[in-house]
Amino acid sequence: GPSLTLGAGELLFLNQHARHQVARAGLEDVGVNFIVLPPFFDYALELIGTDNVLASFLLEGLRRGGGEISCLHFKVAKAPQVQNLVENLLWSLACPQQNAGRITQATMGLLLLQLLNHVENLSSRGELPGGMVLAALREIEENYREADLTRLAQERHVSLSYLSSAVRQATGRTFKELLREKRLKKAAQLLAETSLPVEDIIAAVGYENSSYFYRRFREDYGMSPKEYRAEKPLQSKDV
């Protein structure tokens, strides 16, 4: 399977059903495993809510098959708040004290809250950035008039910033850029193949602001919609 290198100070969350093996450690390698038990999940979800990638990961871990997100890799070596909380967890293991269970639970809850602020430093194995990115691209292709990444993120129970970042990482373009490209291509097709008025075409591809459409069309095609139509003889007429 694919390999993953865990750097110093980074965190790796593994689904309990994920199949994995650890490569032989070197003399300077130190790894610490924390096992998060299901009873903690209720407390965690109360803290972080259910509309983000961490919540999705925790909930999918309860499935018998393990869900679609097998691991989350947080590259947070330079995040002092996260590092301090992990250090506190390590101290709780090395130096047990009264109320250790409650202190550890609260510290882990704070850690999850901090990690929500670092989804830009997250990579995953499983559905993201695969299946959900494909769903976002399908949204553009099939529903370009009303395509909405916010709604898609809510349906997939992940944060908007996380899904947006996954699309950008996988395609090199933002969702808005991909959607704009699709809408303008469709508009160009309608200009070339139909005699629909330009304003009707603008509405048909999902734009309400005509001036914005004209500006973007000229940027992409180097001419106005009417000039583009003049260069493209009608290939078919409206039925």
Side-chain angles (χ1 to χ4, degrees), residues 69-233:
I69 304 177
S70 61
C71 74
L72 299 177
H73 180 198
F74 285 94
K75 301 175 183 180
V76 287
K78 296 182 179 180
Q81 303 93 332
V82 172
Q83 297 301 313
N84 288 340
L85 288 168
V86 173
E87 185 177 339
N88 288 342
L89 288 172
L90 294 174
W91 274 112
S92 70
L93 294 177
C95 306
Q97 55 185 312
Q98 289 184 340
N99 298 317
R102 291 183 179 180
I103 291 172
T104 300
Q105 183 184 64
T107 305
M108 180 61 76
L110 290 172
L111 176 61
L112 294 182
L113 285 172
Q114 285 291 346
L115 289 177
L116 287 181
N117 296 329
H118 293 279
V119 293
E120 72 279 3
N121 298 320
L122 168 68
S123 64
S124 66
R125 298 287 171 86
E127 167 131 302
L128 284 172
M132 288 191 184
V133 171
L134 291 176
L137 298 179
R138 192 163 53 246
E139 171 81 356
I140 291 173
E141 283 298 317
E142 300 176 356
N143 188 34
Y144 59 85
R145 293 179 183 84
E146 300 174 348
D148 185 357
L149 193 63
T150 299
R151 174 181 51 75
L152 187 61
Q154 292 172 347
E155 291 175 356
R156 295 301 179 112
H157 306 293
V158 296
S159 70
L160 174 61
S161 60
Y162 184 59
L163 182 52
S164 178
S165 177
V167 171
R168 185 169 61 251
Q169 182 176 357
T171 67
R173 312 281 294 281
T174 67
F175 182 83
K176 287 184 177 180
E177 288 171 343
L178 293 169
L179 178 58
R180 186 188 78 191
E181 181 177 315
K182 173 64 179 181
R183 285 173 167 173
L184 292 179
K185 281 185 176 180
K186 186 62 179 179
Q189 179 186 355
L190 291 172
L191 286 167
E193 299 179 358
T194 79
S195 56
L196 284 170
V198 175
E199 292 300 318
D200 289 353
I201 290 176
I202 293 173
V205 299
Y207 282 116
E208 296 178 357
N209 189 324
S210 296
S211 60
Y212 176 84
F213 171 84
Y214 279 101
R215 184 170 67 253
R216 291 301 187 184
F217 191 95
R218 181 175 289 277
E219 287 178 2
D220 280 23
Y221 289 88
M223 64 186 75
S224 71
K226 290 183 179 180
E227 290 169 342
Y228 182 88
R229 170 171 275 173
E231 287 195 356
K232 303 284 184 177

